[in-house]
Amino acid sequence: MKAKITFENGKTAEIELTEEQAAQITKAEKKNPFERVRLRDSYYVIDVGNEVCTLSEDDDMRDHEYFNAANYCTDCDLLQQQAYRETLNRLLWRFTYENGWSEDLWETTDNKYYLDYNVDNKAWSIRVWRIYKIVGVVYFVSQEIAEHAIDEVVKPFLEAHPDFRDYQTAAESSR
């Protein structure tokens, strides 16, 4: 594979690279999708409607607030997948509160239930927990409520968003 390189003095040269060398250079050139962009360049945010939209870096308060809240990304697809995760998590959060959950339950050693997706066998299961809180996990008061959450929240959400890759196979099997 031929590649053109430019030196600091502005001179260019054409060189021959193996596929492996080209892959290493390409990999090294990948930028962190969470780094700030240059002034007037574009970046993506998740807006209040949970849509991914494009903004221009103006180095103003808005840009700083999005960046500081980790809602600033240069990879549109990566951010879209995160928007799906956040929406699904909020839907489950609302569902559990509408079905008997209360933060007071952490003051007890009663079982708490949460959803689990096994990527090997492409199946949902329900796990039980008593005293540990896992960051970002939505808990349910019973196994039955957790099962209803899969049927009433997760499966419809996945069917409505077939491009959500986290559980794409699960969505296909729920149809």
Side-chain angles (χ1 to χ4, degrees):
M1 162 183 270
K2 292 190 185 263
K4 186 176 179 181
I5 61 171
T6 304
F7 296 96
E8 289 181 9
N9 64 7
K11 293 188 177 192
T12 62
E14 199 170 277
I15 60 171
E16 189 70 33
L17 296 175
T18 66
E19 293 295 326
E20 184 178 288
Q21 290 170 324
Q24 284 182 330
I25 291 170
T26 304
K27 184 178 179 183
E29 289 178 0
K30 278 191 169 183
K31 292 184 178 181
N32 177 345
F34 305 106
E35 285 181 3
R36 297 288 293 261
V37 297
R38 294 182 312 222
L39 202 58
R40 306 286 180 252
D41 282 355
S42 296
Y43 66 94
Y44 303 96
V45 299
I46 302 170
D47 71 10
V48 294
N50 217 48
E51 298 293 324
V52 174
C53 64
T54 308
L55 296 177
S56 174
E57 174 64 63
D58 296 321
D59 195 30
D60 60 12
M61 182 185 276
R62 176 199 65 178
D63 297 327
H64 292 281
E65 287 174 350
Y66 281 129
F67 182 81
N68 291 336
N71 188 9
Y72 184 115
C73 186
T74 58
D75 184 327
C76 184
D77 183 59
L78 179 66
L79 196 61
Q80 179 61 65
Q81 295 302 309
Q82 183 61 26
Y84 289 145
R85 284 183 207 99
E86 291 176 11
T87 300
L88 179 57
N89 203 57
R90 283 192 309 274
L91 291 168
L92 289 167
W93 178 56
R94 180 174 66 192
F95 183 89
T96 195
Y97 272 88
E98 290 174 343
N99 288 277
W101 182 260
S102 165
E103 287 300 310
D104 294 341
L105 291 169
W106 285 112
E107 296 174 14
T108 73
T109 56
D110 294 346
N111 288 343
K112 288 96 179 157
Y113 301 84
Y114 66 97
L115 308 182
D116 187 82
Y117 180 70
N118 184 316
V119 295
D120 285 337
N121 67 16
K122 312 290 188 233
W124 291 98
S125 62
I126 300 181
R127 303 264 182 195
V128 64
W129 213 245
R130 288 179 189 229
I131 57 174
Y132 294 104
K133 287 184 182 181
I134 302 170
V135 175
V137 171
V138 175
Y139 294 91
F140 303 90
V141 296
S142 70
Q143 181 161 339
E144 295 77 23
I145 298 295
E147 289 168 358
H148 287 302
I150 292 171
D151 292 335
E152 297 176 31
V153 177
V154 176
K155 288 180 179 180
F157 183 83
L158 296 176
E159 287 178 15
H161 303 285
D163 55 328
F164 181 25
R165 290 188 301 271
D166 280 9
Y167 310 105
Q168 187 175 30
T169 305
E172 291 166 1
S173 66
S174 70
R175 291 184 185 147

